[in-house]
Amino acid sequence: MQLDFTLSFTETQWICFDDSIEILADSLEELDTSIEKHLRQKYQTGTFRIKMFFDFDRFPKWYRQYMPHYFNRDFTYNLN
């Protein structure tokens, strides 16, 4: 199953959201852990392709030297 999220940033936290959920975290690693926890609570088993597309309107100023598509993320969780 593929799940598409928007990845954004406030002044202090990363945000991953779609129409049904919003997850906030201090780091991308913490965000990944929270997404996996959410999937384990919602589904017992399955393989999930997670795609995150960065919201350029909230692109952190200190990352402006990089292209925003560098922050698009694509990975898979296997809950078996």
Side-chain angles (χ1 to χ4, degrees):
M1 173 187 287
Q2 179 171 310
L3 302 172
D4 294 334
F5 293 99
T6 299
L7 178 63
S8 189
F9 190 79
T10 66
E11 291 186 24
T12 59
Q13 290 187 304
W14 293 96
I15 305 168
C16 175
F17 64 92
D18 67 6
D19 292 336
S20 64
I21 187 169
E22 179 177 274
I23 299 171
L24 288 86
D26 293 331
S27 69
L28 290 174
E29 294 82 13
E30 184 182 327
L31 190 67
D32 292 348
T33 301
S34 295
I35 290 169
E36 182 177 6
K37 183 178 179 181
H38 167 73
L39 292 174
R40 290 190 182 282
Q41 290 174 349
K42 190 169 182 177
Y43 306 99
Q44 291 187 1
T45 62
T47 300
F48 301 88
R49 182 173 181 187
I50 307 297
K51 295 186 95 176
M52 296 183 195
F53 302 97
F54 200 82
D55 174 8
F56 187 70
D57 291 338
R58 295 185 183 173
F59 199 63
K61 289 183 175 146
W62 66 87
Y63 285 135
R64 299 270 174 172
Q65 64 185 336
Y66 303 107
M67 296 299 293
H69 66 267
Y70 290 162
F71 293 92
N72 291 341
R73 305 177 79 211
D74 187 350
F75 50 93
T76 301
Y77 283 116
N78 189 0
L79 305 179
N80 291 323

